[in-house]
Amino acid sequence: MPQNLLLFRLARLPGPFTLADAEEAVADLPGRSGAALLSDLVDHSMVQHGGDAFRLLLPIRHYMSAPAEAPAQRR
């Protein structure tokens, strides 16, 4: 799921991130843009938006930072 991959990649950023960071995180994926995926995550309350910055909720950041492999590789 592209949203999970975006979360996985954003969790590796050191703190708040921009829309450009989200776009760059999924630039290698065909299909939906980083903006559309990020919008889905905001709508599902997994990412908070304030001003020009976004941030992952702390439990989401911890969960997505813990695995050694990308979400698409989990079984």
Side-chain angles (χ1 to χ4, degrees):
M1 185 174 235
Q3 290 92 341
N4 288 353
L5 186 57
L6 178 57
L7 281 174
F8 179 78
R9 291 176 177 178
L10 292 174
R12 273 127 187 88
L13 297 176
F17 54 91
T18 64
L19 176 58
D21 294 327
E23 291 283 358
E24 185 178 327
V26 293
D28 62 326
L29 298 179
R32 299 180 59 200
S33 70
L37 295 172
L38 187 58
S39 177
D40 288 347
L41 296 175
V42 170
D43 289 347
H44 287 96
S45 300
M46 300 177 105
V47 172
Q48 292 180 329
H49 180 237
D52 292 335
F54 295 86
R55 71 179 188 88
L56 294 178
L57 297 177
L58 197 53
I60 302 294
R61 178 175 294 279
H62 287 162
Y63 178 78
M64 296 309 288
S65 296
E69 56 192 34
Q73 298 169 346
R74 291 185 195 160
R75 294 179 190 206

